C-alpha cells in the first residue's frame, strides 16, 4: 500500500494523537480517531512548548500555529527560591497554554480536515484494527494498552522514579518559571510552577517517596493534598489555594521501547517513550513525533519503509531528550544533597541540571547572573573586564596547587617493554604536559610483573623502570613548568595476562601467560578468561609491599601526586565489589570487610608517600550490574578512603564485570562524582565523556566536581587545554603557552567560504 493514500486509525485523543490525525488528514489520508474520554477530559493544566517545536508546527501547519500563537503566555525568567532568597535568571524564553485549550484547537483543526473523532469510545485493539486500516497510530499514553498487548514485539521497559508528585493549579499567573524549595520536618519538598493563562498557573509538587509518606500525604485525598501543598508553599502562592483536576500522587515512570512499530502499528508519544516533566517534554515529544511521522510518510513510498525511517530518524533525538530528562529527574530526587550549597551556586546547579543548559549557554542568556555565580566561585576579573573561566582557577590538594582544573585522564598506552616506558611515553606525556592541563596522569603503572594487564603495560617494580619514569618527570617539570605529573599505581588482578587492546581487548594471550590472582577465584569472562587464584594471607602482605615499594620509587622519580587505582575490576576494585569478592574471611562479606585490603594498601602507600604530596583514589561508583556496588556503597567507600587520608576521589564507574550494562551518554559518570562531593564534602575528580570546555566550566560552577579528567579529547588534541583558553579569549596564568609555542596562541585564520 502506498503511503500516499491510506486509511489511518489513531488510538488516543491527547495532543500527540490529535496532531498526528490533523497532519495525516492534511496529507489526504482518511483518518479516524478513538478517544475513550469526553472532548474536554484532560489531566494536568498547562503545556509548555519550545521555540523549536513551534517552528516545526509552523512549517507543517500554519493554521494550528496561528491558533496556538494567539493563546500563548510567554515569559523569559526562571526564579529559584533558596532558603528565602529569590534568585532570578533571565533570557530563557518559554511559551505555554492551557492543555484543555490546546485540545480544543486540535479538535477544531481535525474536524475541519475531515478527521472522524470518536469520543467516549473505547478503541478496538490496535492489532485488530491493523487488519482493516493501512496504518494504526497508538498514541494511547503512558499506560498504553497497545504497548502492553504488543509487549513481545515492542519490548518495553518501565523504570519508576524515587519521587511522588501531583499536578495542581493556582488561580493566578506566576510571572516566571518558579522553583521553590521547602525544607520541612519530614524532608525536602519542591514546587515547580509556571503560568499557562493570564490568570492561571500549573503547580507541581514533588518529593521523595519517604518524605511523602512521613508527611502523611499518602493518606490524603485530592482536596486535602491540595490544601496541604498550599500551606507548605504559602509564600510562593501569596496565600492562595490550589485546586486539582483528577490529581493523584504518582511516581514518574520512564518508558523505553526496543521497537516503536510492529507491522503497520506504530507507537507515538508517551506510549513509545516518556521524559520527566521537569524539562517540560511530554507534549513536546509527542508533537515532534507527529511531525516526524507525517514527514516520513510523505517522503517514503510505503508504510514499512516510512515507519523504519521515522524510528531511525526520531530515536536519537528522543534518546537525547530522555538522557537530559533522566539527569533532571535524578537531580530533583537528590535535591536534599544540594540545599546546603550557596544560593547562587544552587540556582546555577538547578538551571544546568539536565546538561542542556550550560555555562556558556547561560552566559548568553543572562550574563549578569552568570558573572555573579563566577564571582562567588572565585573567578577573578581581568583588567579589561573579562572574566576568568572557572576551569582556569587554581585548586590546591595538600601541598600541591594546580594552576587549573583540567586533568589528563590516565590512559593505558600498552607501549612499554618489560614495563619500561620509552620514547613514546616521553612524547605522549610530555606533549600533553606542554598542552596546558593542570595535572597530567600516567596510565595505570603496575606494581609487579604479575600485576600487568598486558605485556605492554608500564611498571614501577625495577630500578630501570624508575629511571625511565624519572626522565619523563624531569622533562615535564623542566619543559612545562607549572604542570603537575601524577602516577596511578595499580594491579590488574583477574583482568591480567591479556592481549594489547587493539589485538583483542580482554582476550587472553595466546601464549606466554602468567598466573592471575584476585579476591576470589572468579574469571572475568567465564569460559574465556583464566581462572585466578584467590589470594591468601601471605599473598596480601606481599602485594601491600609491592605497592609501597612502587610508591617509594614514584616519590624518587619526582611525581607530584599519586593515585591508587581501586576501580575498573582490577585487583583492589575486585575486593570492593560484592560481585567479585566472595570471600568468607575477614576480607569478604559486608562492605567494611571488603574495604579492609584496599584500605591496608592505601595506608601502606600513604605511609611512604611524602606527606606534602597528595594522594587520590579512583573508584568505580557503580558496577552497572544487578547486585553490584550501589551509589550508597560508593559513598561509604569514598568516606572510608577520605578518613584514611585520601585528598580527593577520582570517580569513575563500571568495567568490573563483563556483563555490565552502562548508561552511556555525555558526562554520564559525573552524577556519581557529584553525589560523593555533595554528600561527603570531599574533593572529587569527575570523568566520563566530558568532552567540551563548556561542560568543564558547567560542572565546576555547579559544584558537581573540583577537577575534570578528560581522556579521548586529549588524544584528539594534545593541546586541548590551551586551545580551550584561546577559544574563550583567556590568556592568564591558568593556561600559559610555552615560550616556543606562543606564536600559535591564536586560532589561525580560515579560508573564506
Amino acid at each position: 500500500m502506498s503511503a500516499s493514500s491510506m486509511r489511518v486509525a489513531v488510538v488516543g485523543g491527547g495532543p500527540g494523537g490529535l496532531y498526528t490525525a490533523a497532519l495525516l488528514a492534511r496529507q489526504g489520508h482518511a483518518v479516524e480517531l478513538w478517544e475513550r474520554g469526553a472532548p474536554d477530559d484532560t489531566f494536568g493544566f498547562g503545556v509548555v512548548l519550545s521555540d523549536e517545536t513551534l517552528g516545526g508546527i509552523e512549517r507543517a501547519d500554519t493554521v494550528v500555529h496561528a491558533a496556538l500563537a494567539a493563546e500563548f503566555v510567554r515569559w523569559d525568567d526562571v526564579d529559584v527560591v533558596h532558603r528565602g532568597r529569590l534568585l532570578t535568571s533571565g533570557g530563557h524564553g518559554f511559551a505555554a497554554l492551557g492543555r484543555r485549550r490546546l485540545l480544543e484547537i486540535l479538535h477544531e483543526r481535525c474536524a475541519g480536515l475531515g478527521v472522524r473523532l470518536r469520543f467516549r469510545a473505547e478503541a478496538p485493539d490496535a492489532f485488530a484494527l491493523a487488519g482493516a486500516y493501512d496504518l494504526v497510530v497508538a498514541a494511547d499514553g503512558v499506560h498504553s494498552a497497545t504497548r502492553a498487548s504488543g509487549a513481545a514485539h515492542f519490548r518495553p521497559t518501565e523504570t519508576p522514579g524515587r519521587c511522588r508528585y501531583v499536578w495542581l493549579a493556582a488561580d493566578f499567573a506566576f510571572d516566571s518559571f518558579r522553583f521553590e524549595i521547602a525544607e520541612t520536618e519530614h524532608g525536602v519538598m519542591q514546587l515547580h510552577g509556571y503560568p499557562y493563562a493570564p490568570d492561571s498557573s500549573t503547580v507541581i509538587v514533588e518529593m521523595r517517596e519517604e518524605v511523602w509518606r512521613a508527611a502523611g500525604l499518602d493518606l490524603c485525598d485530592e482536596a486535602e493534598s491540595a490544601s496541604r501543598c498550599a500551606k507548605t508553599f504559602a509564600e510562593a502562592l501569596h496565600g492562595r489555594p490550589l485546586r486539582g483536576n483528577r490529581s493523584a500522587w504518582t511516581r514518574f515512570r520512564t518508558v523505553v521501547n526496543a521497537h516503536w512499530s510492529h507491522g503497520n502499528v506504530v507507537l507515538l508519544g508517551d506510549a513509545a517513550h516518556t521524559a520527566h516533566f521537569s524539562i517540560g517534554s511530554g507534549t513536546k515529544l509527542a508533537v515532534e513525533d507527529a511531525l516526524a511521522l507525517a514527514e516520513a510518510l510523505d517522503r517514503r513510498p510505503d508504510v514499512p519503509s516510512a515507519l523504519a525511517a521515522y524510528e531511525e530518524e526520531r530515536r536519537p533525538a528522543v534518546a537525547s531528550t530522555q538522557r537530559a530528562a533522566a539527569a533532571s529527574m535524578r537531580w530533583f530526587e537528590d535535591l536534599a544533597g544540594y540545599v546546603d550549597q550557596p544560593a547562587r551556586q544552587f540556582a546555577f546547579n538547578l538551571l544546568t541540571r539536565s546538561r542542556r543548559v550550560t555555562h556558556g549557554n547561560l552566559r548568553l542568556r543572562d550574563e549578569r547572573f552568570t558573572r555573579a555565580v563566577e564571582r562567588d566561585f572565585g573567578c577573578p576579573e581581568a583588567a579589561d573586564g573579562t572574566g576568568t573561566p572557572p576551569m582556569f582557577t587554581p585548586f590546591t590538594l595538600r601541598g600541591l596547587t594546580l594552576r587549573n582544573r583540567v586533568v589528563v585522564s590516565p590512559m593505558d598506552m600498552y607501549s612499554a617493554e618489560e614495563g619500561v616506558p620509552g620514547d613514546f611515553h616521553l612524547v605522549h606525556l610530555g606533549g600533553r604536559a606542554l598542552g596546558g592541563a593542570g595535572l597530567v596522569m600516567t596510565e595505570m603503572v603496575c606494581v609487579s610483573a604479575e600485576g600487568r594487564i598486558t605485556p605492554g603495560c608500564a611498571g614501577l617494580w625495577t630500578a630501570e623502570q624508575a629511571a625511565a619514569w624519572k626522565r619523563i618527570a624531569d622533562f615535564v617539570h623542566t619543559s612545562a613548568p607549572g604542570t603537575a605529573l601524577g602516577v596511578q599505581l595499580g594491579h590488574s588482578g583477574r583482568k591480567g595476562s591479556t592481549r594489547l587492546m587493539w589485538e583483542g581487548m580482554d582476550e587472553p594471550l595466546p601464549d606466554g601467560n602468567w598466573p592471575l590472582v584476585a579476591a576470589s577465584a572468579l574469571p572475568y569472562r567465564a569460559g574465556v578468561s583464566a581462572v585466578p587464584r584467590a589470594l591468601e594471607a601471605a599473598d596480601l602482605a606481599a602485594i601491600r609491599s609491592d605497592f609501597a615499594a612502587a610508591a617509594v620509587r614514584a616519590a624518587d622519580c619526582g611525581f607530584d601526586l599519586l593515585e591508587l587505582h581501586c576501580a575498573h575490576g582490577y585487583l583492589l576494585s575486585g575486593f570492593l565489589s560484592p560481585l567479585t569478592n566472595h570471600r568468607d574471611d575477614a576480607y569478604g562479606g559486608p562492605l567494611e570487610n571488603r574495604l579492609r585490603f584496599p584500605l591496608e594498601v592505601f595506608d601502606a602507600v600513604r605511609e611512604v608517600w611524602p606527606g606534602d604530596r597528595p594522594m587520590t583514589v579512583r573508584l568505580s561508583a557503580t558496577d552497572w550490574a544487578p547486585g553490584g556496588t550501589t551509589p550508597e556503597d560508593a559513598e561509604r567507600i569514598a568516606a572510608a578512603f577520605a578518613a584514611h587520608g585520601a585528598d580527593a576521589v577520582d570517580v569513575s564507574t563500571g568495567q568490573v564485570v563483563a556483563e555490565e550494562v552502562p548508561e552511556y551518554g555525555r558526562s554520564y559518570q559525573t552524577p556519581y562524582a557529584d553525589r560523593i562531593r555533595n554528600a561527603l564534602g570531599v574533593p572529587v575528580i569527575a570523568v566520563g565523556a566530558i568532552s567540551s570546555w563548556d561542560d568543564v566550566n558547567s560542572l565546576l560552577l555547579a559544584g558537581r566536581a573540583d577537577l575534570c579528567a578528560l581522556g579521548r579529547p586529549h588524544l584528539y588534541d594534545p593541546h586541548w587545554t590551551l586551545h580551550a583558553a584561546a577559544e574563550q579569549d583567556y590568556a592568564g596564568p591558568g593556561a600559559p603557552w610555552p615560550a616556543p609555542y606562543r606564536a600559535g596562541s591564536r586560532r589561525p585564520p580560515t579560508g573564506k567560504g
Side-chain angles (χ1 to χ4, degrees), residues 697-749:
N697 287 329
S698 301
L699 291 167
L700 295 170
L701 270 191
R704 297 177 198 147
D706 299 282
L707 300 167
C708 291
L710 299 92
R712 288 179 177 85
H714 281 112
L715 294 180
Y716 180 77
D717 178 5
H719 290 79
W720 185 89
T721 305
L722 292 178
H723 292 157
E727 288 166 14
Q728 296 174 81
D729 297 320
Y730 173 75
W737 283 71
Y741 288 177
R742 285 175 191 159
S745 61
R746 293 185 178 182
R747 181 192 292 271

Side-chain angles (χ1 to χ4, degrees), residues 42 44 104 172 195-196 203 370 573 656 675 700 742 748:
T42 184
E104 289 171 354
F172 75 97
Y196 67 86
V203 174
T370 308
S573 171
V656 174
R675 177 171 180 151
L700 295 170
R742 285 175 191 159

Side-chain angles (χ1 to χ4, degrees), residues 10 50 65 137 195 229 241 270 343 384 401 422 463 476 513 570 602 631 649 662 666 700-701:
V10 178
S50 68
H65 181 268
V137 179
C229 290
D270 282 352
D384 61 1
T401 296
V476 169
N513 298 91
Y570 298 122
F602 183 92
V649 181
R666 174 168 148 248
L700 295 170
L701 270 191

Side-chain angles (χ1 to χ4, degrees), residues 539-561:
D539 303 315
L540 299 177
I543 289 173
R544 283 195 300 270
S545 296
D546 288 340
F547 272 95
V552 170
R553 293 188 184 97
D556 292 342
C557 291
F559 284 107
D560 303 291
L561 175 148

Side-chain angles (χ1 to χ4, degrees), residues 124-137:
D125 181 81
F127 293 97
L129 289 171
Y133 291 82
D134 303 307
L135 174 67
V136 179
V137 179

Side-chain angles (χ1 to χ4, degrees), residues 409-412 440-447 453 458 460 469 485-491 547 554 559 561-568 570 616-619 650:
S409 195
M411 293 176 284
D412 286 317
V440 176
M441 292 297 301
T442 69
E443 61 196 88
M444 184 177 92
V445 176
C446 305
V447 298
I453 308 167
L460 249 179
W469 282 118
L485 185 64
V487 62
Q488 186 189 71
L489 294 183
H491 186 297
F547 272 95
F559 284 107
L561 175 148
L562 186 150
E563 179 166 281
L564 188 65
H565 200 338
C566 296
H568 300 169
Y570 298 122
T616 64
V617 59
R618 175 169 268 201
L619 302 176
D650 185 354

Side-chain angles (χ1 to χ4, degrees), residues 110-136:
C110 284
L113 290 167
V115 175
R116 183 178 179 186
L117 300 173
R118 297 170 174 261
F119 293 109
R120 301 185 180 89
E122 200 70 52
D125 181 81
F127 293 97
L129 289 171
Y133 291 82
D134 303 307
L135 174 67
V136 179

